[in-house]
């Protein structure tokens, strides 16, 4: 309180006491009237008096209203007078300060002028003066007094010097502060420049967006903002230039002051001694210098004030810039809301498009798979075409070789013809006899052989068919299993979709509930506003009633003033009673504070419970992540998801229980508040005199009403913004519709292009079909030619066999015929040539079969090896036939060709195996790459989640974060998003490359181009490099996060240190304030009471402010879990110490915190929007993936059916072709089965790829589901936070409603009291004279009450005025938050006013002195006393002021730091807003491109699929017509499919066995090479030797043959022994003395045994087990029916090699042809096999017969070698005939 306020309050008290005395006199007067009326009056008089009283009451009311107006006028006048007084006092104080400063300067000049030499003089003078003082004269006494005065002046001057030094120090500090402010202004300027640049960027981006959206309104607004910002920048630059110039001036002045200060310090010691003599003369000069110094100081202070004003202007400019930025922020928020609504509309459209897309993708995938199958078929046809071309080339080469052989054979034939001409005549005779016999026998034997061969082939083919059926059944089973698994996967995907739809529905419900809550709150708000309006009306009415009563009282005042003293004493008593009541109220307030602390503790416990819940939720999220990581298979994942859903239900129940407990706690809080309010009511009822409380409540209600009005205005502004956003969204929807129409046009164009592509594809297919038909025709022609050649070969072979048989039989029977004809020789030559052709054909077939062996199973390998063995045996037999001496060279050449072919075949097989290995390696590498990519994507997703968490933490601790780290994080996140997009695009390109390589590969078995493999490898390397980059980024992010943590720790330590400093400074300020309060109490005692009142009011207001701050903090805690503890602590400390300035600072910090929280909320909202957009994109991609999978599965089913139909069609065509010849049809079936196997293998590979793709897709789906669940949990947590906020708002609304009800109740009670008074008045008017006395007594009591009310009203008015002043001060502080320097100046002025008040007393005393000239000494003494007191006061005041300035400057620094932090956060948030806008624009562009591409694809594929469906329907009708005719062949094909399905199951096992067999084959090849080397050595050793067995057989045969043919035998022997023809002719031409006689004589002449030599059958294990029972039985009968002569034992083991030179190279054939055993070889061998013409493989066993068990390929050759079979019993009967005869018997 100021001195003027105290004076005004005293005057008011005097006036009120006068009014009280007047009212008491009026009461006495009325009492006298009542007494006189009792004695005299009648009823008429009473009624007249009552009327008079009523008139008096009305007049009093009018007087009251007039007095209230007068009081208000007086108040305004007093305030003006007070202000004028303050101005005058400040002016006086400044003038006095100037005088002091001038005196100080004069003294300083004096000190500078005087030297050091005056010290001794001064000392001597002082001693002389002391001596004079000791002398008893009167003059000496006066001199002593003068000396004392001078010493006192010296001391005072020293004090003034010290004060001047202190002032210089303060000025230096102020210069430093000015420099700091200059630096801060420069920083602000730089920040403003950066903000301006950022705003220009955002303006450019917004202009681009606006040009896209074509919104002219926003176009006009943005340039205006830019212009305004530019103007603001120019103003800021001008201000900064002005401030810099002022700062330079100040620096100059401060430097001059520093120089002065140094000079003063140097001259202090010298000038003190020379002062004493000159002090009397120079006092007036010193006073003048003091005035000058004071003037300089005031100029400096004025300059400082100007600087403060400029600083305030700069801060105001900053505030305007902030407001502009906030406006732009709101505009961006509105744009974001528009975009959200656009996105919602687009989501709906996208969902509709997705349904269309799903259908279109299904048809697309079906067509794609059909195209892929067609391409596979084309590839197969190309392969078959290439194979046929290779076969044709081989056949041409073989024909060329055959022509060369023919030329050679022609030469040999010419030589043979020359030889045979000599023997033609002899042969003609023998031929005529032989032909008759041989024709009869050969017919029977040929028929038997043909029948046996055909039966064997039929059995083989039946076995093959049965095996193929098994394989097809296995394949069908595997396909059915795969379909079942696909169905399960589909069901799982559907369940996941249902869960997603349920989650979306729950989200919608939550949003609806929120909307309903918001609407309900709005309704409650409207009701509250209506109730507040009603209460305002009621309050106005009450105020009018009070004014009327005051007027009445004021009228009654002007009556008497006699009993004023008594009233004054009573007022003092009332004052003491009110002091007691105030003490009681303080106690109640303390109790209220305790209750409030308890409620705070309850709220903290509830918050702790919420934190525990969040911790539990985090733990549950960790468990869920573990389960998700473990879940790799689809079934396990589904089970785990069910568990997770159950756990989520449990969590929801827990959360609901916690919410209930919270609701219960809040209800208890409400009950406590109601009880507190009841206690207040009871107190108000018990103490009805305490009426100021009601006025306080009214003021609080008015403040709350203003707050609610502000909220209402904010809501109206939000509604306007929403309306704008709705309009913008409508415009965006119109644009989207236009873009949709454009996309539809593009889709139509793409449909036309697809139709053209389909037409071209159909043309290509027709051309390919024609080529395939031509190739099939050529193949059939070649087959028919081969068949004809086979028939010719068979006939010739039969002739040859007949001839050889005839020869042997005739030789054995003893028909001695020695001549052969030319025709027979020619036939033999022709047969040999045809056999060579057949050998070549069989070799080619071997090559083709060996290519298929790698793909076939073990059983098929066994069958093919059996066939190869039969062919090899036939080749060996032919070689043996041709192995006579004349044909050895031909056989050798043929064997060499065979070896070359075998080597070529092995090379081709090795190349094929290498290619397959390379393919498998590439596939595995590709899968590894895809797995790596998936893993990296998952790692990126985790990194994104970690970044989000870190960003959330950084937002919570945003005051401790720095700008650079946040920018780095955002940049890293952006780059990671770009890299993720690039990786996803590369994954898509890889998939497309794989699909195109699988569909469009035309070059052979691999199906993938080398260029594509190179591209894949390059992309893999690129991906590896990118993965390395990502890991480096991750490390950088981790390092940055660690740095952030370290920085946050350091900042927290600095915060704690600052808090400690603030506490110390607050303690010092509290001490200073205590001293200051003591000084004020020492001046005037009346101020204590008023100050106690003001302090109590301030405490009440402070408690209210603390309540509001706790409410805001609780709301902010609900929004943000981590509250800003440091700021709250500082605010509480400062507000507890100082009343007005620290409260302002705390309110400033609160406003800054609120702004920060709003910014954080906006950032979180934008984060949520971006996350929602990302989720939508992920959902779109997931839906596309699921739709493509479903369509692919359906298309696979349809394609498999189409494949089956095509295969049935092919099989039917083959069966139609194969009607003529059964053997040909069986071979064709074998080929078709092999082709089917290759197709099935291709299909299996496709299925495997599809399964891997499905697994990858499942993994992706799982990742997406995890993300969705995490996001759902976040959304649920946010919903709960919003619910808690809504509940808190509802509670506050309930509190307001309760307060309103209480006010209404109080107004009702007042009305009831008034009614009761009116009734009493009426009753008294109607009553009797006795009641008049009561009325008068009551009137007296009422007047007394009116007096008390008036007193209370005056006190309340005083308090109201004080409160109004304080509220105006508070409002000014709230409005001028950033004008802190002004407050400092105001405090300085207040201190000056106090100093002036202190000096007023001295000036009054000085005015009392009339004659200055006469009483100079008295004036000097007075001045000295004044100087001493004022210097001490100035020192104290300056010290206190400096301390206060330091504390306020520290507070300023803190506030400026907070402001800088908020500016940093603003810039960061603006950068984030820009980033979000950019990401939004990118997302919109991507969405539009995606929609356009999808629409184009859909439209094109829809039309194409419609046309193709029509074509397919036609084709299906045609195929159904064909299927009706081809049902028989369908059954066979189904059986083949079953066998193929079995084959697929056995393929894996067989591939492993084939690898083992290959290893064993390599071992066997090494052994074969060793054996070949041994054979070559044997051949070299046995070339010049003669076989004993052969010679023995020849010798025996010579004696067995008839005498006519013995010459032939001798010729044979000679040719074997190497004798020339001439020597033989000479020997044979001799007479009986020749060789023959000697031989025949030596052997004894006589006819040999005419029986045929037969060897017993030596069956081996393999022949026994592999031959059937009927074959064994026939063999048994043949052996039993053979003659009883013991045949010569010519076993395989005892035979030596025959024709070593000719057959040495046959062993070089692969082991597959030699080492294979077959039952057919034993059964189907001719019984008349000549032992002389045995093959090399029969003569020489390569491996000893070790074991009978093991694989067919691994068995020794000796078991499969030919054995000598006996002649059949009857030449007519075959094995089948014998069986038939037996069965008949």
């Amino acid at each position: 309180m100021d001195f003027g306020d105290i004076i005004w309050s005293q005057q008011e008290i005097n006036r009120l006491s006068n009014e009280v005395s007047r009212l008491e006199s009026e009461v006495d007067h009325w009492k006298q009237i009542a007494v006189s009326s009792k004695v005299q009056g009648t009823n008429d008089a009473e009624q007249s008096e009552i009327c008079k009283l009523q008139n008096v009451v009305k007049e009093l009311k009018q007087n009251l209203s007039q007095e209230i107006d007068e009081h208000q006028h007086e108040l305004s006048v007093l305030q003006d007078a007070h202000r004028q007084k303050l101005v005058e006092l400040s002016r006086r104080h400044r003038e006095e300060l100037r005088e002091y400063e001038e005196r100080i300067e004069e003294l300083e000049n004096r000190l500078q002028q005087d030297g050091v030499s005056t010290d001794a003089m001064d000392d001597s003078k002082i001693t002389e003066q002391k001596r004079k003082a000791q002398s008893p004269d009167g003059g000496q006494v006066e001199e002593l007094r003068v000396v004392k005065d001078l010493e006192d002046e010296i001391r005072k001057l020293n004090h003034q010097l010290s004060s001047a030094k202190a002032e210089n120090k303060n000025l230096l500090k102020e210069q430093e502060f000015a420099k700091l402010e200059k630096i801060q202004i420069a920083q602000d300027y730089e920040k403003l420049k950066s903000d301006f640049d950022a705003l220009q960027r955002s303006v450019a981006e917004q202009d681009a967006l606006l040009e896209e959206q074509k919104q002219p309104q926003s176009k006009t607004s943005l340039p205006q903002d830019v212009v305004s910002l530019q103007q603001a920048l120019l103003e800021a630059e001008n201000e900064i230039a002005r401030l810099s110039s002022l700062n330079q001036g100040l620096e100059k002045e401060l430097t001059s002051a520093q120089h002065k200060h140094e000079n003063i310090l140097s001259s202090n010691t010298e000038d003190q001694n020379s002062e004493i003599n000159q002090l009397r003369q120079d006092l007036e000069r010193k006073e003048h210098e003091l005035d000058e110094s004071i003037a300089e100081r005031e100029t400096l202070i004025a300059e400082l004030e100007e600087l403060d004003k400029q600083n305030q202007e700069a801060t105001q400019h900053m505030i305007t810039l902030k407001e502009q930025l906030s406006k732009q922020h709101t505009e961006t928020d509105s744009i974001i809301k528009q975009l959200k609504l656009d996105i919602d509309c687009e989501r709906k459209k996208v969902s509709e498009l997705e349904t269309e897309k799903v259908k279109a993708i299904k048809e697309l995938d079906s067509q794609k798979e059909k195209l892929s199958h067609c391409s596979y078929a084309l590839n197969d046809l190309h392969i078959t075409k290439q194979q046929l071309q290779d076969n044709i080339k081989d056949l041409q080469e073989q024909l060329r070789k055959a022509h060369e052989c023919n030329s050679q054979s022609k030469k040999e034939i010419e030589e043979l013809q020359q030889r045979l001409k000599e023997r033609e005549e002899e042969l003609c005779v023998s031929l005529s006899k032989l032909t008759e016999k041989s024709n009869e026998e050969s017919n029977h034997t040929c028929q038997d052989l043909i029948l046996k061969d055909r039966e064997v082939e039929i059995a083989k083919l039946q076995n093959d068919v049965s095996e193929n059926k098994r394989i097809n059944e296995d394949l069908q089973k595997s396909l059915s299993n795969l379909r079942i698994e696909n169905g399960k996967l589909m069901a799982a995907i559907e369940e996941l979709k249902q869960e997603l739809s349920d989650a979306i529905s729950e989200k919608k419900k939550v949003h609806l509930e929120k909307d309903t809550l918001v609407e309900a709150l709005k309704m409650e708000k409207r009701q509250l506003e209506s109730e507040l309006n009603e209460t305002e009306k009621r309050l106005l009415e009450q105020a009018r009633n009070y004014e009327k009563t005051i007027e009445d009282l004021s009228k009654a005042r002007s009556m008497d003033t006699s009993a004023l003293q008594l009233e004054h004493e009573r007022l003092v008593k009332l004052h003491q009673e009110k002091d007691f009541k105030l003490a009681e109220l303080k106690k109640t307030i303390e109790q209220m504070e305790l209750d409030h602390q308890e409620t705070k503790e309850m709220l903290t416990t509830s918050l702790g419970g919420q934190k525990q819940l969040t911790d539990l939720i985090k733990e549950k999220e960790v468990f869920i992540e573990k389960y998700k990581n473990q879940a790799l298979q689809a079934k396990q994942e589904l089970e785990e998801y069910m568990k997770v859903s159950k756990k989520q239900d449990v969590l929801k129940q827990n959360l609901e229980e916690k919410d209930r407990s919270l609701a219960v706690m809040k209800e208890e809080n409400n009950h406590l508040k109601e009880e507190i309010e009841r206690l207040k009511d009871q107190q108000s009822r018990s103490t009805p005199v305490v009426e100021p409380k009601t006025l306080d409540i009214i003021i609080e209600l008015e403040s709350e009403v203003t707050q609610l009005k502000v909220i209402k205005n904010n809501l109206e502004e939000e509604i306007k913004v929403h309306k704008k956003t709705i309009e913008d969204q409508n415009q965006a929807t119109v644009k989207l519709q236009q873009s949709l129409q454009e996309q539809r046009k593009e889709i139509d164009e793409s449909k036309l292009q697809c139709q053209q592509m389909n037409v071209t594809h159909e043309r290509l297919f027709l051309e390919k079909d024609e080529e395939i038909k031509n190739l099939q025709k050529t193949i059939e022609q070649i087959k028919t030619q081969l068949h004809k050649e086979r028939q010719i070969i068979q006939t010739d072979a039969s002739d040859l066999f007949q001839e050889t048989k005839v020869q042997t039989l005739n030789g054995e029977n003893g028909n001695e015929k020695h001549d052969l004809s030319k025709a027979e020789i020619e036939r033999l030559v022709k047969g040999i040539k045809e056999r060579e052709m057949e050998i070549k054909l069989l070799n080619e077939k071997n090559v083709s079969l060996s290519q298929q062996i790698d793909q076939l199973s073990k059983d098929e390998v066994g069958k093919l090896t059996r066939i190869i063995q039969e062919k090899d045996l036939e080749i060996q037999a032919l070689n043996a036939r041709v192995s006579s001496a004349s044909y050895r060279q031909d056989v050798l050449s043929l064997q060499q060709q065979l070896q070359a072919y075998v080597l070529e075949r092995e090379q081709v097989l090795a190349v094929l195996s290498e290619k397959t290995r390379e393919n498998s390696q590439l596939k595995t590498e590709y899968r590894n790459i895809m797995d790596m990519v998936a893993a990296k994507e998952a790692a990126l997703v985790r990194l994104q989640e970690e970044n989000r968490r870190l960003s959330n933490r950084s937002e919570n601790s945003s005051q401790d974060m720095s700008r650079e780290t946040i920018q780095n994080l955002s940049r890293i996140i952006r780059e990671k998003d770009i890299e993720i997009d690039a990786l996803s695009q590369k994954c898509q390109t890889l998939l497309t490359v794989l699909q195109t390589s699988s569909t469009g590969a035309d070059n052979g078995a691999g199906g993938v181009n080398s260029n594509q493999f190179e591209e894949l490898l390059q992309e893999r390397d690129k991906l590896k490099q990118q993965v390395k980059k990502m890991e480096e980024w991750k490390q950088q992010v981790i390092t940055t996060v660690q740095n952030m943590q370290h920085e946050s720790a350091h900042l927290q330590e600095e915060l704690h240190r600052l808090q400690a400093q603030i506490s110390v400074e607050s303690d010092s300020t509290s001490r200073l304030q205590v001293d200051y309060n003591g000084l004020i109490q020492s001046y005037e005692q009346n101020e204590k009471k008023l100050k106690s009142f003001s302090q109590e009011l301030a405490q009440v207001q402070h408690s209210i402010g603390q309540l509001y701050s706790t409410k805001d903090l609780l709301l902010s805690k609900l929004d943000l879990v981590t509250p800003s503890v440091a700021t709250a602590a500082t605010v509480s400390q400062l507000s507890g110490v100082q009343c007005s300035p620290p409260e302002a600072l705390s309110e400033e910090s609160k406003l800054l915190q609120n702004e920060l929280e709003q910014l954080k909320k906006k950032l979180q909202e934008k984060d949520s929007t971006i996350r929602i957009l990302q989720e939508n994109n992920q959902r779109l991609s997931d839906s596309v993936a699921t739709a493509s999978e479903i369509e692919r599965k359906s298309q696979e089913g349809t394609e498999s059916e189409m494949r089956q139909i095509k295969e049935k069609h092919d099989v039917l065509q083959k069966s139609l072709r194969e009607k003529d010849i059964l053997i040909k049809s069986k071979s064709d079936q074998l080929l078709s089965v092999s082709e089917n196997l290759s197709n099935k293998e291709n299909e299996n590979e496709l299925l495997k790829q599809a399964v891997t793709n499905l697994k990858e897709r499942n993994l992706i789906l799982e990742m997406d589901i995890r993300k969705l669940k995490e996001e759902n949990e976040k959304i649920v947590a946010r919903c709960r936070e919003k619910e808690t906020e809504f509940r808190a708002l509802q509670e506050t609304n309930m509190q307001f409603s309760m307060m309103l009800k209480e006010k209404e109740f109080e107004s009702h009670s007042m009305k009831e009291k008034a009614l009761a008074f009116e009734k009493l008045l009426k009753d008294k008017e109607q009553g009797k004279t006795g009641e008049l006395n009561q009325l008068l007594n009551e009137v007296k009591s009422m007047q007394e009450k009116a007096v008390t009310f008036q007193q209370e009203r005056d006190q309340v008015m005083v308090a109201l005025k004080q409160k109004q002043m304080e509220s105006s001060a508070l409002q000014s502080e709230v409005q001028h938050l950033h004008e802190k320097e002004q407050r400092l100046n105001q405090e300085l002025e207040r201190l000056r006013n106090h100093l002036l008040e202190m000096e007023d007393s001295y000036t009054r005393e000085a005015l009392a002195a009339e004659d200055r000239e006469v009483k100079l000494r008295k004036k000097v003494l007075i001045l000295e006393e004044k100087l001493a007191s004022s210097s001490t006061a100035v020192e104290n005041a300056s010290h206190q002021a400096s301390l206060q300035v330091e504390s306020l400057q520290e507070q300023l620094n803190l506030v400026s730091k907070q402001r800088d932090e908020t500016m940093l956060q603003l810039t960061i948030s603006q950068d984030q807003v820009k980033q979000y806008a950019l990401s939004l624009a990118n997302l919109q562009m991507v969405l539009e491109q995606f929609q356009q591409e999808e629409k184009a694809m859909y439209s094109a594929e829809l039309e194409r699929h419609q046309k193709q469906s029509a074509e397919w329907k036609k084709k299906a009708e045609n195929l159904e017509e064909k299927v009706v005719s081809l049902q028989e062949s369908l059954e066979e094909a189904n059986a083949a499919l079953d066998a193929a399905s079995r084959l697929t199951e056995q393929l894996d096992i067989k591939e492993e066995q084939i690898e083992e067999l290959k290893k064993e084959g390599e071992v066997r090849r090494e052994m074969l090479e060793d054996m070949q080397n041994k054979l070559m050595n044997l051949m070299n050793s046995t070339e010049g030797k003669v076989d004993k067995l052969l010679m023995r057989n020849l010798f025996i045969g010579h004696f067995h043959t008839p005498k006519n043919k013995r010459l032939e035998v001798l010729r044979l022997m000679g040719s074997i022994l190497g004798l020339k023809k001439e020597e033989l002719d000479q020997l044979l031409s001799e007479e009986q003395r020749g060789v023959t006689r000697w031989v025949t004589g030596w052997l004894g002449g006589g006819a040999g045994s005419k029986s045929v030599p037969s060897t017993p059958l030596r069956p081996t294990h393999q022949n026994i087990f592999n031959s059937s029972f009927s074959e064994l039985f026939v063999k048994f009968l043949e052996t039993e029916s053979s003659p009883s002569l013991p045949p010569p034992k010519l076993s395989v083991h005892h035979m030596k090699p025959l024709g070593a030179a000719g057959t040495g190279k046959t062993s070089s054939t692969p082991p597959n042809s030699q080492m294979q055993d077959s039952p057919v070889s034993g059964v189907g061998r001719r019984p008349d096999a000549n032992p002389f013409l045995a093959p090399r493989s029969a003569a020489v066993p390569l491996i000893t017969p070790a074991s009978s068990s093991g694989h067919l390929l691994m068995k020794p050759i000796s078991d499969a070698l030919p054995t000598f079979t006996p002649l059949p019993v009857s030449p007519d009967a075959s094995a089948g005939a014998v069986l038939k005869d037996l069965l008949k018997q």
Side-chain angles (χ1 to χ4, degrees), residues 1055-1073 1129-1130 1133-1134 1137-1138 1443 1446-1447 1450-1451 1454:
L1055 257 177
H1056 289 302
R1057 198 174 68 241
L1058 287 167
Q1059 284 177 1
Q1061 287 178 1
I1062 286 156
S1063 64
V1064 171
E1065 287 166 1
S1066 64
D1067 292 326
S1068 65
T1069 52
S1070 64
R1071 286 168 193 166
L1072 286 166
Q1073 277 190 345
T1130 55
Q1133 285 171 1
L1134 291 165
V1137 174
Q1138 289 180 350
L1443 289 170
E1446 285 173 359
S1447 65
E1450 283 168 357
Q1451 290 171 7
L1454 283 169

Side-chain angles (χ1 to χ4, degrees), residues 362-390:
K362 285 179 183 176
E363 292 175 358
L364 233 183
D365 291 332
S366 64
Q367 294 299 324
K368 277 183 186 173
E369 293 199 352
K370 285 172 188 175
L371 282 167
S372 65
H373 287 302
C374 292
S375 63
Y376 284 129
L378 277 169
N379 291 328
D380 295 330
L381 289 167
H382 282 300
I383 292 157
T384 51
K385 185 180 174 183
Q386 286 175 1
Q387 287 176 359
L388 288 166
Q389 286 174 358
D390 294 332

Side-chain angles (χ1 to χ4, degrees), residues 536-549:
E536 281 176 357
K537 289 175 184 176
R538 288 170 190 167
L539 286 165
L540 287 166
E541 288 174 359
Q542 287 177 5
R544 285 171 189 165
N545 292 321
Y546 282 127
E547 283 172 0
K548 286 176 183 176
T549 53

